Each structure stands twice: as structure tokens, then as C-alpha cells.
Amino acid sequence: MSSVVARRRYLTNFEVQRLPHLFTDVLVLGSGIAGLRAALAAADECDVVVVTKDDATLSASSWAQGGIAAARAGFDSTDQHAEDTLRVACELGDAEVTQEVVTQAPRQIDELVSWGVRFDREGPDLAVGREGGHSASRILHADGDATGREIIRVLLERARAHPRIRIFERCFAIDLLTGDSRVVGALTHHAKYGHQMFWATTTILASGGVGRVFRETTNPPIATGDGLAMALRAGAILRDMEMVQFHPTTLYVAGAARALISEAVRGEGAYLVDRDGGRFMERYDPRGELASRDVVSRAIHTEMRRLQQPCMYLDVRHFQQGHFSRRFPSLARLCADFDIEPEHDLIPVRPSAHYTVGGVVTNRVGETTLPGLLAAGEVASTGLHGANRLASNSLLEGLVFGKRCGELAVKRSATHPPLSQPLPLSHRIPQSMRTELDLDDVLNSLQSVMGRNVSIERSGDRLRETIEIIEFWSRYVLDKVFDAPRAWETQNLLSVALCIATAAATRCESRGTHYRSDFPQSDGAWRCHIDIRRADDRLQVSTTPAAETT
Ligand SMILES: Cc1cc2nc3c(=O)[nH]c(=O)nc-3n(C[C@H](O)[C@H](O)[C@H](O)COP(=O)(O)OP(=O)(O)OC[C@H]3O[C@@H](n4cnc5c(N)ncnc54)[C@H](O)[C@@H]3O)c2cc1C
């Protein structure tokens, strides 16, 4: 069936003659770990513009707590790190990509240290912690539980000081521009300067995930899937969008936003318990509290339903006195804000949407299916995470693929002459006669329906119903032209939600983060990726066999 989501190529009207133009070798969309690392790699030999829709410091990257995975210690090995990553990926991970990324990890850490990132130490060595799904302690962290903030501090300082990098903050990328059969830059909106056209030899998408499509999420407000929706509109392939990771432990205080309680807390020995202090994880997995996230999230979800409770609890009361607040200073402050004293009280937790496992499909160097467009970080589907992401592998992926994309952009600039004239592009959307819906209301309702029907447990009838509802709202929201970021974000969220629900309805099995109550087992016939693109006014869904996993 024709879908209004698939019909839209651009979200807004524009005429090239009427807009200001900026030219650069490399345009980076996003200032998280992937975008900044890409910009720094490209700026050695190219002019780089970074466009970011809020303050450059606001990103999932800067909110990352637990750490970054790297097998550096003598008792560990990159082979073990690769094995753990592939096990969690549930036969959809790409063995070659995984091996390459984990092999790069120690070098990436050394580079960050040489640039001034202050990872926590134990004596002269970098301290390492343990997280679920990892068979060894290999998680490096900074300021206890503020790893992302420290890494972004250093990357941003370097980028701001670089003479060939310009950062445009509060500049919203609306759409990728395509002409001459390739991506040639982006149309943006700045609160002060209005619409602008950035023309670039290479555009690097590093715009993060889409956690905000769910009401309960750990993600910052920027995580509205703009990059995913832009790429879909421009014709790129989105892969495995049904794979959304739910973090098992976010602080549950009714009425408050869901704040993440890092996996590292369980890595330090915290128990998961019910209201009466009874541990339950052993019943679900022999690894207990250190099972992978999908297993722990489902276990908590099942216990909540069984006991008719809104949450389960983390128990750290057996920690040595003062250990919790020394090791997790930000979390101790967070608990204190709600009068929770972890040394004496149980910490109420429940799962929330955390990480977009699927994304814009790329090859091993970050190239998407669209010439001129590279992608890195959470927006991309590189093959590293497969059906589920191993904890602390995403900062690592952002670094490795950010760097690769930056380096590839340098190579492309050597062979492709830079644009010096705008291409004659324009777009006009016919005026719609349909009534207007209240966008805040649509967004609230979308987040609710996604939480009810497309979260930890899914079923075919609920997914089909969700697709119908999203299509309905889309007919009234994607037919119109708006002029504010909040409205574009809502349009993007609807588009990406449709892809998530469509992919989830297509995959008739359970695997990784995707659990279908009507197909509770994995099925070898589904050892494949689900790809979505827009073609002929409809969302075209197809499958691609999974790569070798050994
Ligand atoms: C609370 C929390 C804790 C986490 N902890 C860890 C951890 O300990 N270890 C780990 O490995 N991973 C962790 N993760 C996941 C990890 O932080 C992210 O997956 C990763 O940082 C994503 O990096 P990124 O550069 O791809 O995107 P982000 O860091 O999200 O950056 C996206 C950027 O794109 C910009 N952007 C988005 N849309 C637009 C637009 N339309 N126009 C212009 N700019 C735009 C944003 O403003 C932002 O600058 C955590 C995530 C969260 C939310």
C-alpha cells in the first residue's frame, strides 16, 4: 500500500536561488563521539563543517556512563572480546567487522589517553570494570560513571581548536540534498539564520538513535531519529530497525524521567531483587545479573507482570560502606535527589528504551548505499551489534567508524573536485487540505503506543494495529509543511516508528532484542537482515542473508 511516509522526499519547500549557501569538503551531521571523531580525522586534510541541532555538548555520547570496552589487560584478549560481541549479537553479527573493531579498541584508548582523556586508574594502570555479557573485566571508565562526558570534553576541545573545523550549533539538519545521483550536502535550519544549504563532497551522518520514540527512555532529547528519517527519505536502506535495545535498569520514580542506572553497578556485584528482597535472575539465566541486556530486561518485565508490580529493585546494601558513592558518584547524587540511600534502601528500576541497534546500513568503511553519504555511530548499522549490542561497545564503534569515515572522506576529496556552485535543486510540496492534528498530542500518543505494542514483548496483531495507527497519524502530519524543529522531529519520529513496527511485524521469530510472544523461539530461516527503503511511494521490505558469524 502507498504510504505517505514513503511519498515524502523532503520535509520542506525550498528554492536554491533564495537560500544562503556554504561549501565545504566534509559535512558532519552530529557532534557526538562518532561525529567529532570523524571531523577530527577528516580535518587533517580537509575543511570540515559540523552541524549539530543543540549545544554541541548534548548527545547520548556525553550521557554515557558505564564506559568503553577494550581488551587491554594481560588476562584478556581481543578474540574473547569478539567472541562475547558475536554471542550477544545472536547470529546476526558480522565476524569480520567485529574482529576489526575490537582489534582497534586498545589503540583507540591509547589515542584518547594521549589526547588527554582521564580514564580512572588503579595505581599506574587504567582501571577496568565488568558489565553484562562480557567474559572479562574490560570496561574503562572516567570519573566513575561519567565516561562519555570526559571523552566528549576532550574531543570537543580538540575540534573547537582545530583551524579546519567549524561547528554550527543549534543548527537543525532537515534533509539530505541529492543531485547528480549522490548526496551533495544538507538543508538546515538555524533559529537565527533560517534555512541554509550546506554543499559538501562527502556528508557524514552521525546523528545518533531514536530512543525518544518511546516514552520511557534513557536517551537525551536530541535522540529523535532525524538522521534515520533523512536517510530513508533520500533513498538509503535502513537495516534491522526492529532491534531496539531496552536497558534493564533505569530508575523508576513515578513522574520523573527515566535515568539510567549503569550496568556497571551489576558488574560491581549488585543484585536484582523483588520487593521482598528475593533474587530472581538465576531462574532466567545461569549468568544471573550479568546476563546480556535482552535477557535481563525480559526477566524484569516478566517478574513485574507476574507480581503485578511497576518495578523491580537493585540491591547494593551488601557493598562495603561508601563503595557505591565512591565508584558511582553521579548515581549516588541521582538517588539522593529522590531520598534513596542505596546503603540502606532498594533502588527501584525498570527497563527503558536505550539503544537503536538497527540503522542506516553501511559497509566496513562506513559507506551507505547512497554515494556521497557515510554513516557512523548509533545511526548506522555496521554489522557490529547484530541483533543486540554488547554493553560499552557503542562508544567504541563510534570512535572506530567515526575515524574510518573521516579518513574515507579525505580520500574522496582527493579524487572528487569540490562543489563550488549550488546544484539547481528545488522542492515544492502541494498544499494539503487535511485537517491539522495537535502535534504534541500525536507525539505523546505515538510514544505511548510504541511503549505498549513495540517494546520488550511484541505480537503480530498488536504490531499490525500499531502500523495502522502510525499510518493514520502520518496522513495528517506528513502531508504538511512545518517550520520548526519540534514539528520536523515529530515527522521524523513517525517515519522511523513506522519502520520499527514494520520490521518487527515482518520478523516472525524472537532473536536478540526482538521478542515476539507469538513466535517465542529463534528460527534459522530468519537468520537474515530486514532491510527497508522507500521505493515507488511505498516502504519496500526485503531480506539479506546474514554475514558469517565465525
Ligand atoms: C544514558 C546513556 C548511557 C549510555 N552509556 C553508554 C556506555 O557507558 N557505553 C557505551 O558504549 N554506550 C553507552 N550508551 C550509548 C552511547 O552513548 C551511544 O550509542 C553513542 O554515544 C552514540 O554516539 P553517536 O555519536 O552516534 O550519537 P550521539 O552521541 O547521540 O550524537 C548525535 C548527535 O547528532 C546531533 N543531531 C541529531 N539530529 C540532528 C539534526 N537533525 N540536525 C543536527 N544535528 C543532529 C545531536 O544533537 C548530537 O550532537 C549510553 C547511552 C545513553 C543514552
Side-chain angles (χ1 to χ4, degrees):
M1 198 177 78
S2 165
S3 160
V4 61
V5 168
R7 281 203 294 277
R8 286 305 286 271
R9 169 59 192 94
Y10 290 101
L11 286 187
T12 191
N13 297 323
F14 62 89
E15 271 178 61
V16 81
Q17 308 88 307
R18 293 173 174 269
L19 294 177
H21 303 279
L22 288 96
F23 296 87
T24 184
D25 299 319
V26 182
L27 174 65
V28 179
L29 303 179
S31 62
I33 195 165
L36 291 174
R37 190 61 193 85
L40 288 166
D44 285 343
E45 295 180 44
C46 291
D47 289 328
V48 180
V49 166
V50 177
V51 158
T52 187
K53 71 176 173 180
D54 206 292
D55 286 349
T57 49
L58 181 62
S59 59
S61 302
S62 58
W63 283 22
Q65 295 179 352
I68 179 164
R72 300 173 78 253
F75 54 78
D76 198 4
S77 72
T78 50
D79 283 351
Q80 248 176 286
H81 187 180
E83 214 178 293
D84 292 344
T85 304
L86 285 167
R87 186 180 339 102
V88 167
C90 299
E91 296 191 299
L92 286 194
D94 181 317
E96 270 186 57
V97 169
T98 304
Q99 195 63 48
E100 282 173 17
V101 172
V102 301
T103 304
Q104 289 282 319
R107 234 168 296 158
Q108 296 288 329
I109 298 298
D110 290 345
E111 185 175 63
L112 289 181
V113 172
S114 74
W115 286 355
V117 173
R118 295 185 291 248
F119 286 110
D120 296 334
R121 288 180 179 270
E122 261 168 22
D125 299 327
L126 300 186
V128 282
R130 181 99 182 254
E131 288 188 333
H134 288 274
S135 59
S137 294
R138 63 168 75 100
I139 315 300
L140 297 119
H141 43 86
D143 293 332
D145 52 11
T147 313
R149 191 180 63 200
E150 171 62 6
I151 295 175
I152 293 299
R153 176 188 70 78
V154 169
L155 295 183
L156 200 52
E157 256 174 38
R158 275 184 94 80
R160 288 200 202 279
H162 202 296
R164 298 191 75 174
I165 299 179
R166 281 183 298 166
I167 302 181
F168 289 72
E169 292 177 279
R170 283 167 288 283
C171 185
F172 188 99
I174 305 170
D175 264 309
L176 297 165
L177 296 167
T178 43
D180 287 348
S181 315
R182 65 195 176 99
V183 173
V184 287
L187 173 68
T188 67
H189 177 83
H190 191 282
K192 198 158 152 200
Y193 309 113
H195 285 8
Q196 292 171 305
M197 292 178 108
F198 286 85
W199 301 90
T201 311
T202 304
T203 302
I204 302 177
L205 198 56
S207 50
V210 68
R212 288 277 163 162
V213 79
F214 296 91
R215 185 188 303 291
E216 301 203 38
T217 177
T218 62
N219 284 197
I222 52 96
T224 53
D226 304 337
L228 295 160
M230 272 187 263
L232 180 77
R233 286 194 290 276
I237 294 177
L238 305 190
R239 173 161 287 177
D240 297 335
M241 290 304 295
E242 72 281 18
M243 301 298 177
V244 177
Q245 184 176 74
F246 287 79
H247 197 290
T249 55
T250 57
L251 184 66
Y252 173 69
V253 177
R258 297 285 167 265
L260 180 72
I261 309 263
S262 167
E263 184 128 8
V265 176
R266 274 175 290 132
E268 290 285 316
Y271 305 141
L272 273 167
V273 298
D274 59 29
R275 200 176 48 182
D276 300 322
R279 289 177 72 181
F280 54 85
M281 272 313 302
E282 298 275 328
R283 291 207 302 277
Y284 292 90
D285 193 290
R287 292 167 295 176
E289 278 81 358
L290 288 183
S292 55
R293 288 181 176 171
D294 55 322
V295 174
V296 182
S297 290
R298 264 200 308 281
I300 295 177
H301 183 74
T302 309
E303 287 296 304
M304 280 165 42
R305 200 171 40 201
R306 189 174 71 81
L307 298 170
Q308 298 284 301
Q309 296 290 321
C311 62
M312 290 289 119
Y313 299 87
L314 271 173
D315 188 355
V316 300
R317 293 174 300 177
H318 53 288
F319 281 17
Q320 263 187 0
Q321 211 186 353
H323 180 64
F324 183 81
S325 49
R326 268 196 310 279
R327 174 68 179 83
F328 304 107
S330 313
L331 292 179
R333 279 194 297 276
L334 173 72
C335 289
D337 282 347
F338 295 102
D339 296 328
I340 299 165
E341 290 179 39
E343 288 192 353
H344 309 290
D345 302 327
L346 295 176
I347 307 171
V349 291
R350 58 186 270 153
S352 295
H354 185 55
Y355 185 81
T356 310
V357 180
V360 182
V361 69
T362 73
N363 63 11
R364 284 163 51 193
V365 285
E367 286 172 308
T368 70
T369 48
L370 297 180
L373 181 70
L374 310 180
E378 194 167 336
V379 72
S381 170
T382 63
L384 177 67
H385 307 306
N388 196 4
R389 173 186 72 113
L390 184 63
S392 287
N393 263 357
S394 46
L395 289 176
L396 175 62
E397 185 193 40
L399 278 180
V400 171
F401 274 91
K403 182 165 184 271
R404 282 186 181 177
C405 285
E407 289 169 350
L408 184 60
V410 169
K411 282 196 198 135
R412 291 191 76 245
S413 286
T415 52
H416 293 65
L419 278 169
S420 54
Q421 288 290 322
L423 299 184
L425 302 182
S426 65
H427 192 72
R428 181 136 296 276
I429 296 155
Q431 202 179 354
S432 170
M433 304 315 276
R434 281 188 195 273
T435 186
E436 283 207 17
L437 297 185
D438 181 279
L439 288 188
D440 287 340
D441 206 17
V442 169
L443 182 52
N444 274 329
S445 308
L446 174 68
Q447 290 168 330
S448 295
V449 80
M450 291 297 285
R452 269 198 318 278
N453 294 348
V454 198
S455 67
I456 294 177
E457 200 173 300
R458 301 152 173 188
S459 67
D461 49 352
R462 293 286 194 92
L463 289 168
R464 282 186 292 278
E465 178 192 312
T466 307
I467 290 169
E468 268 176 38
I469 297 171
I470 299 172
E471 288 276 16
F472 173 81
W473 287 323
S474 300
R475 284 201 285 281
Y476 293 85
V477 175
L478 272 136
D479 61 329
K480 303 196 177 55
V481 177
F482 297 99
D483 58 3
R486 190 76 184 140
W488 297 319
E489 286 177 348
T490 306
Q491 291 179 308
N492 289 333
L493 284 164
L494 280 166
S495 307
V496 180
L498 185 62
C499 294
I500 296 173
T502 301
T506 304
R507 187 177 286 281
C508 293
E509 63 150 359
S510 294
R511 184 184 294 272
T513 62
H514 172 71
Y515 182 80
R516 287 275 301 257
S517 55
D518 45 353
F519 296 99
Q521 306 299 328
S522 288
D523 177 349
W526 281 103
R527 231 208 98 222
C528 59
H529 301 289
I530 294 182
D531 293 338
I532 297 187
R533 60 191 292 245
R534 58 184 273 278
D536 304 327
D537 287 353
R538 61 192 66 219
L539 289 186
Q540 190 183 75
V541 182
S542 58
T543 57
T544 303
E548 286 304 314
T549 56
T550 51

